[in-house]
Each structure stands twice: as structure tokens, then as C-alpha cells.
Amino acid sequence: MSIRLSALLLTAAAPLVALPAVGQSLPAPGATTQGEEDDATDGLADVTVTARRRAENAQRVPAALSVVGGALLDQSYTVNTQGLTTLIPSLNYSSANPRNTAFTIRGLGSSVVAVSQANDGLEPGVGFYVDQVYHARPATAAFDFADIEQVEELRGPQGTLFGKNTTAGALNITTRAPSFTQEGFAELSYGEYNFAQAKGWVSGPITDSIAYRISGVSTRRDGVIDNVRTGRDTNTLGTQAVRGQLLFKPDDTIQMRVIADFTNFQAYCCGQVYLRTGTSLRAANRQFGGPNGLAAQFGYAPASTNPYDRKTDIDGPLGVDTNEGGVSAITDWNLGFATLTSVTAWRFWNWDAENDRDYTGLPVQLSQHIPSRQDQYSQELRLASNGAGPLSYVVGLYGFRQRLTGRPISIYGPAAARYLIGTTTGANNTPVPSNLLDGYGQDGRTDFRSLSYAAFGEVNYRIIPTVTATLGLRYTQEDKDGYYTTTVSGGPATTSTALINARLGVLRPQRYEAHDSDGSLSGRGNLAWQVTEQTMAYASYARGFKSGGINMSGLPLDNNNRPVLATAVVRPERNETYEVGVKNTLFDRRLILNVDAFYTKVHDFQATVVENSLTQTVQLRGYLSNIPEVTVKGVEADVTALILPGLSARTSAAYSEGAYSDYPAGPCPLEVQTAATAQCSLTGRRLASLPRFAITAGLDYVRPVGGGALTLHVDTASRSGYNGDPGLSRFTYIRGYNLTNANIGYRFADGLELIVWARNLLDADYIQNLTIQAGNSGLILGSPSDPRTIGGTMRFSL
């Protein structure tokens, strides 16, 4: 026994011998989850979650959470985080491309428009975990899932047990484990726009103590945006994901699960279309629209002014080539009084993509991309008590190391000088040659490194049989270093000081190094009251933090054109959340009704500020920093009902009020901007990217017909309007929308299932996210919804 244990723990720790050992326990394999209801009439099946790092009934966990089981994911054709927003109302997702991916919970986390995901020195505020391993880059959440057991959305700070940057909450994803029973599944789908998807898995024993599982998914689709200039459709899909697992279980006291996965995304993607033109107080010839505007100066008109025509005319290169993967080992050892768990992981992420960043058919910017590589290593060790006594606990250690390198490249074209500078420049109105920026560009190197250590513990004590108190604390120490350098070259030679300065105003070389070190205490306290066997009430206070970072996208310059190092470090966000809730399991488990209310206050919220006290210049400068306070409050409800045998329904709703409660120096809305940088007070204004109302609903019906069964699935999601940019311009408002998906099929007695499905059944037109063209010309671009797509699927068990 000691030899087996030593071998397993050595295997788990081998990739991270440089980090301290750490550990924890797995959910029970094969646990029933939402969407996997009993076919009998004895009520809804229990849902098992690991929100507190132990397997528990979700209705006995005193916290706000949503659970989506693997069966519901399969039935709803949900294969990525974006699809989860149709099932979970408090989760919002935005992605202009896989690198610029952001998801928020209750409006907090990391917004594409507020804190750029392309900034390698910053981390998300929503923790993203797959099989207990934290993913540091939000871009990895854009990849497809393969063979998921369930997804748990944990709302509010999870600073104790999911402590890595979880001020807003966490997505805890669990894949299906290997089985000692031979089994398999395959699914083939085909639909409009040449959509083709294949996914499946196979699992079984190798020996009496070793089992395997191999899973995969591959998706392709033609583009849904027509490039009228090239005749090539853009925004294609091309993704592949594969996962291989081995489960070693020499006896009932110890097991180790080794997982290796790889995911790839290659596509002619990701373009946006003309959304609208906003106006500002800038000179008429420096705005996009109008008779004297930039478009008129070039005799240019967009391919279409209706974004739902889904047409573009970009002339620059377009394409995404990105992949990620890794290896992890999860070892569980039942010691009797407690379970010791080790989670060891290495992960990588590669990124390269090009896009036409002027978003027009004009040759303003010829190329812009940031080839990047990230490697992360993590080690966690947890000890979780066993048994049902009045006292239970989880204690542990965590270590994390990351390195991310990048190469920012940008090259301008023949139209750039007039578009970005104008026809004259400087105090003496020096004429600007039309080719001043043709071939002018930037090349650079970035290197970001972070090291994080934490110790944590949480104790639950049953004061009386119906009342349990919880206290959890975590201390985290983080050290970060960043190096940034860029050079400029190209363009025609000139000796004119005015022209040289004009060119440097577009791109200027920069070099700086920065270091940040921070320690933070987070945790939570909770009081749960089991009012009856069917009802539990709880109240909690949680404190979390989103680690600080280093601005790796360039700094504002002082009057001597030197980077202002005081602006390099962005301080941590600190979040406090108060929450009360009630969980009900009613009518012999035929109805689940959960309601919670929360109030959250975030100090030092990471956002763009506009001021000159740190930059020490005469002019105001905008840069990424911290604002004093943001608040969000709201009410959420989840209902699941077994209406009739074979007929189940679910609905979830979220009402949120978010505000910049203290934002004295923010970016100004487009409509009040002038040629000079200006600051505007946004105090009291609504938080960007947060819908006030969000509702999701779904229905599943299974009816025996002949020797098989007829199946029906519908899911729908509605969100009210919100502002897509922190400047809160009236031109950047995104209207509310509804998205409905449905499918109907027949399941034969032998397990074969034939399905007809529709994505975006009602062909709803809406904007997923928007972008303001660099330079604030007033041109606003958007990513339109995918059009209705109808197709068919064949599923069968192997």
C-alpha cells in the first residue's frame, strides 16, 4: 500500500517539483445532475455539486449557484461558455475574437470594454476551473467543451476555496470520468451554412484497477458575414477538442485521475460590421460621417449600414490560429478521518490572429496582431474531513506560476496619414504627405511573469441540529513582473520635426519594466438554517479580491515622452458581498424554488481613468488604473418543476442594479468629446455591460411512442438593454434581445436518436458586442447575432 501511494503522489507532483505540494477531493463519479431527471414520477433527481470542495446536495449548500448537467448540455447543443448564457441568466459573455473574450457574473469580472482581455498583465475576476484546475487566461474559455459531466456557476466571491481571482464568482466545470463499464457515445450533426459537428466518447476498463476515457468534438461552419470586397465569407468556425483520461484505482482508499487535453481554433475570423456612426464635438473633418467627414474625404461608404445584412468590405488580413491544452493529475487518498487530494497541472495557450483594425475597406491599417504564448503550472493540496459529525473542514495550500510572452505588431497603410493625422499638422499647419504612414509600423516584445502562493481553510460547525455556521479564510501572496518594449520603423524618410512628431503621435517606441507584490486576505462567513426538511435559509458575508496587475499594453507618456512608470501597476480589486437566500424542495421533490438577494461593493475597481496627477503632464491622459467604488445589488430566482411524467420545465431570472458609485475621472461619452482628451464624472451612472433583467427558461418533454420515445427540447433567453462601453455614450447602447433554440427528435429502443434542431429559431437580430474604432472618429462596429440555423443530428450509443 505505501509503495502504491508513494508512486501515485510522485506522479501527481512530478510536473511541479519547484512548487509546494498541495491537495483535495473529487466529486463522486457518475453523480446525477440537473437535466438528468428520473423518468419515474418520484420527483426531480438530486443534484450533486462540489461548490465547497466536497460532494454535496446542491439544495443543502448555503450559497447562490446554478448547475447545468451534462445531459442538458448535450440536449441543448451547448459546447462552449457562450452557449451557457442561454441557460444561466447571471452569466454574461462577450467576445470580439477568442483573445478578447470576457465573461461576467452579476456584471462583475472582466469586461472586454472596461478592462481589455488582450492586456496580458491583467487577470479575470471570474474564476474559470476545469477539473479543479484554474485557467488564468479568459481566452481559454472560448474553446469548445468535450464530454462534460456538469457546470456549476458559483455566484459572488469564492475567495476561500476557489481563491484565485474570484471576486465575481467562478465557473466550476467537471468532465465525465473514466468508467470501469464499457460504454460509448457518438453524435453527428449537419446544418445550414455547411455546419458540421462530430462528437463522442468511449470509456471502459483496461485492467481491474485501470480505466480509460477518450472524448472529442470537432466543429466547422461557413462564414455568416459576407465580405463584398473579397467575395469570401468571414466568421467561419473551425474547432477541435480532444481529451484522454486514465483512472488508476488500486483499491477503495486511493485513486488517481490523469487527464490530457488539446483544443484548437482555426478560422477565417473574426470580423465585425458597421453598426452606426456617432457624432462628437471634434472638427467635422475628423469625424467619420458627414459631408466633410473622413468617409466623404475618401469617397467611401460601408458595405451596408444595416448590421443585420451581415456585410463587410474589409481589405486587410483576417484569421485566427489559437490552441490550448495541458496535463493534470488528481489524486485522492481516503485516510479515514479525512480525504487528502493533490491537484497538479501544467497548461499552455498559443495565440496568433490578424484583423483589419480600421474595420473598413480603406487601407488605414494593414496588419495588427499579437502572437502570444502562455504557460502555467499549478499545485494544490487539500485535506477535507469525512463523516457527518457536527464539525467539518477543508484546509489546503496552493501554488501557481505563469509566464506569458507576446509580440505586438502593427503596420499602417497608404490611407493612414490622412485618416489618422489629417492634411496638416503642428502649430504651423505643416502639410502632411499622403504616404507619411505608409509602411510605418511597430514591433515589440512583452514578457509577463507571476507567482502566487496561498494557504486556506474553511470550517463548518453545526451549532444545533438545524443551524450550521461556516467560517473560511485564505491568504494569498502574489508577485508579478512585466517587461515591455516596442520599436517603430518604416514609412518615407523625413527631416521635418512636425512630421516626425505627427508620426510618433500614432505609434511611439516604448520600453519599461515593472514589479508588483501584494498580499491579500479573503474569506467568508455563513449561517445556514434548515427550517424544515424541505426549506433552508441562509445569510452570508464574503470578501474576495481580484489580483493587481501590470499594464502590458503600453503606458501614457510624460512631457519628455518617457513612460510614466507610476501608471504601470494596477492595484487589486477588493470585493465585499452580503447575501441572503432561501432554498425550497417542494411537493415531494417535484418543484425546486431557490431565491437569493445580494449587495456587492467593489473597491479599487479596475477601469480607465483620465487625469494627470500621475502622468505629470499638462494634458490629461487616459490609462488603465483603479476607480474608487462600484456597487451591484439584485435578486435572483431559480425554478425547476416536474410538471407531468416526462415533462419538466425550468426558469431562472436575475434582476441587477449596477452603478459606478464613485468614478470621478472617467472617459467621456463620444457625443461630448473634443479634439483634446477630456475627463467626465461617471459617478452614479449605470455599470456598463450589465443588463437590468435577464431571464432564461427551458422545457423538456419525453413521450413514449411505438417502441421508442418522442423528445422535445426548448430553451430561451432574454436580456434587457445595456451599454456596451464604459464611456456610456448613447451611441454604444446595445438593445435587449431574445434568443430561442429548439429541437425535436425520436429515440429508438436500441438507443439510436434522430433529431431536427434550430438555433436562433425566431431568427432574432441582436448585437453581441461592439467596438469603437480607434481614434474616436465616431465609427462604431458590432458583432451581429448568428442567423437562424436549422439542421439535423444522429446520436447513438456504442
Side-chain angles (χ1 to χ4, degrees):
M1 172 63 189
S2 61
I3 296 175
R4 281 200 306 269
L5 173 61
S6 300
L8 286 173
L9 291 180
L10 179 62
T11 303
L16 292 181
V17 293
L19 290 176
V22 222
Q24 128 183 340
S25 52
L26 283 169
T32 305
T33 56
Q34 179 179 331
E36 296 170 344
E37 294 86 358
D38 294 340
D39 290 333
T41 59
D42 58 351
L44 297 166
D46 290 337
V47 176
T48 301
V49 298
T50 56
R52 296 195 292 184
R53 296 301 200 185
R54 61 179 69 244
E56 298 177 282
N57 186 327
Q59 289 301 100
R60 298 302 176 97
V61 177
L65 55 87
S66 295
V67 185
V68 180
L72 180 54
L73 292 172
D74 292 339
Q75 192 69 11
S76 61
Y77 293 88
T78 300
V79 294
N80 51 40
T81 308
Q82 181 178 9
L84 287 174
T85 60
T86 309
L87 307 174
I88 304 174
S90 55
L91 180 68
N92 287 295
Y93 177 95
S94 179
S95 180
N97 60 54
R99 182 184 180 92
N100 283 14
T101 293
F103 46 95
T104 62
I105 294 176
R106 295 173 171 173
L108 301 174
S110 295
S111 167
V112 167
V113 293
V115 180
S116 173
Q117 269 56 42
N119 196 314
D120 294 339
L122 299 175
E123 299 185 34
V126 174
F128 186 70
Y129 297 81
V130 180
D131 289 327
Q132 307 183 54
V133 176
Y134 172 72
H135 289 218
R137 301 313 304 164
T140 64
F143 293 103
D144 282 355
F145 303 147
D147 200 12
I148 300 300
E149 173 71 21
Q150 73 177 24
V151 177
E152 303 168 22
E153 184 220 33
L154 313 177
R155 299 192 284 274
Q158 308 295 318
T160 306
L161 303 179
F162 294 84
K164 194 73 176 73
N165 295 323
T166 52
T167 49
L171 285 178
N172 184 28
I173 298 174
T174 305
T175 64
R176 295 184 177 108
S179 168
F180 283 95
T181 302
Q182 192 69 42
E183 54 188 18
F185 171 82
E187 176 182 293
L188 299 173
S189 299
Y190 184 80
E192 293 180 284
Y193 302 97
N194 285 320
F195 173 88
Q197 184 177 80
K199 61 181 180 179
W201 48 263
V202 61
S203 183
I206 298 176
T207 69
D208 291 342
S209 59
I210 303 175
Y212 75 96
R213 191 178 195 95
I214 300 174
S215 314
V217 57
S218 177
T219 306
R220 73 160 310 279
R221 188 203 64 193
D222 290 345
V224 294
I225 295 178
D226 176 27
N227 189 333
V228 299
R229 177 178 296 272
T230 64
R232 184 177 180 183
D233 290 337
T234 70
N235 289 19
T236 65
L237 290 179
T239 67
Q240 303 84 37
V242 63
R243 174 179 285 106
Q245 303 183 60
L246 289 174
L247 176 62
F248 300 89
K249 194 171 184 180
D251 55 44
D252 291 336
T253 63
I254 189 167
Q255 71 173 38
M256 184 174 71
R257 185 179 172 192
V258 179
I259 307 170
D261 68 278
F262 177 80
T263 305
N264 186 59
F265 185 109
Q266 289 180 309
Y268 188 61
C269 181
C270 298
Q272 296 179 286
V273 301
Y274 175 95
L275 179 59
R276 63 180 68 100
T277 298
T279 57
S280 67
L281 300 180
R282 296 170 182 266
N285 65 350
R286 304 313 305 153
Q287 301 194 51
F288 183 80
N292 299 315
L294 293 167
Q297 293 174 41
F298 286 93
Y300 172 77
S304 173
T305 56
N306 179 359
Y308 306 115
D309 286 341
R310 297 177 176 87
K311 294 184 182 296
T312 184
D313 64 347
I314 57 172
D315 59 339
L318 187 70
V320 170
D321 185 359
T322 180
N323 55 70
E324 66 114 11
V327 179
S328 62
I330 308 170
T331 305
D332 292 285
W333 182 23
N334 189 332
L335 304 174
F337 71 96
T339 297
L340 178 66
T341 300
S342 170
V343 183
T344 306
W346 161 74
R347 299 204 61 77
F348 71 90
W349 168 65
N350 288 313
W351 165 265
D352 194 12
E354 284 198 271
N355 205 344
D356 188 337
R357 290 298 175 182
D358 60 71
Y359 303 99
T360 70
L362 299 172
V364 176
Q365 191 165 37
L366 302 182
S367 179
Q368 196 279 331
H369 61 134
I370 311 175
S372 303
R373 165 79 183 198
Q374 184 240 12
D375 287 272
Q376 67 170 66
Y377 303 83
S378 61
Q379 174 66 55
E380 185 168 11
L381 187 69
R382 292 193 309 273
L383 185 70
S385 62
N386 293 330
L391 180 69
S392 62
Y393 59 85
V394 176
V395 295
L397 299 170
Y398 180 77
F400 175 84
R401 184 174 63 195
Q402 174 189 207
R403 183 182 183 188
L404 210 168
T405 58
R407 185 183 176 187
I409 300 171
S410 186
I411 303 173
Y412 286 95
R418 184 164 187 173
Y419 200 95
L420 299 176
I421 300 173
T423 56
T424 62
T425 187
N428 296 323
N429 291 323
T430 302
V432 176
S434 61
N435 67 341
L436 182 65
L437 295 179
D438 192 9
Y440 181 69
Q442 166 189 280
D443 195 358
R445 298 291 187 277
T446 65
D447 191 340
F448 174 76
R449 307 184 188 205
S450 67
L451 187 62
S452 175
Y453 296 100
F456 58 90
E458 184 169 276
V459 177
N460 305 296
Y461 181 67
R462 194 162 59 242
I463 303 171
I464 59 176
T466 58
V467 178
T468 301
T470 299
L471 177 63
L473 292 173
R474 184 186 193 105
Y475 183 80
T476 303
Q477 175 64 41
E478 299 214 330
D479 295 286
K480 299 185 176 182
D481 292 276
Y483 169 79
Y484 179 93
T485 181
T486 58
T487 60
V488 296
S489 61
T494 180
T495 58
S496 166
T497 300
L499 296 181
I500 292 172
N501 288 338
R503 195 152 59 185
L504 289 174
V506 175
L507 283 179
R508 186 181 299 271
Q510 249 190 77
R511 183 185 184 281
Y512 60 88
E513 297 181 49
H515 172 77
D516 183 41
S517 181
D518 181 74
S520 181
L521 183 68
S522 57
R524 61 183 173 188
N526 184 288
L527 198 63
W529 176 27
Q530 196 67 43
V531 183
T532 67
E533 184 63 25
Q534 295 78 33
T535 299
M536 182 187 70
Y538 65 91
S540 65
Y541 166 80
R543 184 178 189 269
F545 85 104
K546 175 175 181 263
S547 66
I550 296 174
N551 191 338
M552 298 299 295
S553 293
L555 302 180
L557 305 175
D558 61 20
N559 283 336
N560 294 315
N561 292 319
R562 295 174 301 193
V564 182
L565 293 180
T567 66
V569 174
V570 182
R571 298 191 306 276
E573 290 181 0
R574 305 191 186 278
N575 175 309
E576 293 181 284
T577 294
Y578 302 85
E579 188 173 289
V580 294
V582 179
K583 294 190 171 186
N584 300 280
T585 306
L586 307 172
F587 306 116
D588 294 328
R589 294 191 300 116
R590 286 178 170 82
L591 176 68
I592 292 176
L593 171 60
N594 300 333
V595 180
D596 68 84
F598 67 92
Y599 174 80
T600 296
K601 182 181 294 185
V602 185
H603 303 279
D604 287 331
F605 185 75
Q606 295 171 358
T608 299
V609 300
V610 181
E611 54 91 66
N612 62 0
S613 63
L614 289 177
T615 57
Q616 299 177 358
T617 65
V618 175
Q619 292 184 340
L620 296 174
R621 301 290 176 97
Y623 59 95
L624 189 62
S625 186
N626 304 85
I627 65 173
E629 188 177 276
V630 166
T631 57
V632 183
K633 56 187 176 182
V635 178
E636 299 158 336
D638 294 278
V639 180
T640 304
L642 183 59
I643 302 171
L644 294 169
L647 177 61
S648 63
R650 63 195 173 277
T651 185
S652 299
Y655 170 77
S656 303
E657 286 284 353
Y660 296 109
S661 45
D662 192 355
Y663 196 172
C668 289
L670 178 65
E671 51 267 35
V672 299
Q673 290 182 9
T674 64
T677 303
Q679 65 177 205
C680 290
S681 174
L682 300 179
T683 299
R685 301 285 301 276
R686 280 189 58 81
L687 182 66
S689 301
L690 175 62
R692 182 177 273 111
F693 295 98
I695 300 173
T696 65
L699 180 146
D700 284 281
Y701 182 50
V702 180
R703 179 180 178 84
V705 175
L710 184 70
T711 63
L712 174 67
H713 171 87
V714 179
D715 57 68
T716 184
S718 296
R719 281 176 164 78
S720 60
Y722 57 91
N723 205 295
D725 182 79
L728 305 179
S729 167
R730 63 186 176 90
F731 298 114
T732 56
Y733 187 77
I734 295 177
R735 295 181 178 178
Y737 67 90
N738 169 268
L739 172 64
T740 299
N741 304 316
N743 59 72
I744 186 170
Y746 186 79
R747 185 184 303 148
F748 294 88
D750 61 1
L752 175 65
E753 189 171 3
L754 301 178
I755 303 168
V756 177
W757 47 263
R759 310 294 292 173
N760 192 4
L761 174 65
L762 305 180
D763 203 19
D765 287 332
Y766 59 92
I767 297 299
Q768 301 180 70
N769 55 268
L770 56 78
T771 300
I772 299 177
Q773 187 190 52
N776 290 328
S777 68
L779 176 59
I780 299 171
L781 299 308
S783 299
S785 55
D786 289 345
R788 176 172 52 216
T789 306
I790 297 174
T793 293
M794 178 175 64
R795 291 173 173 163
F796 51 92
S797 298
L798 303 178

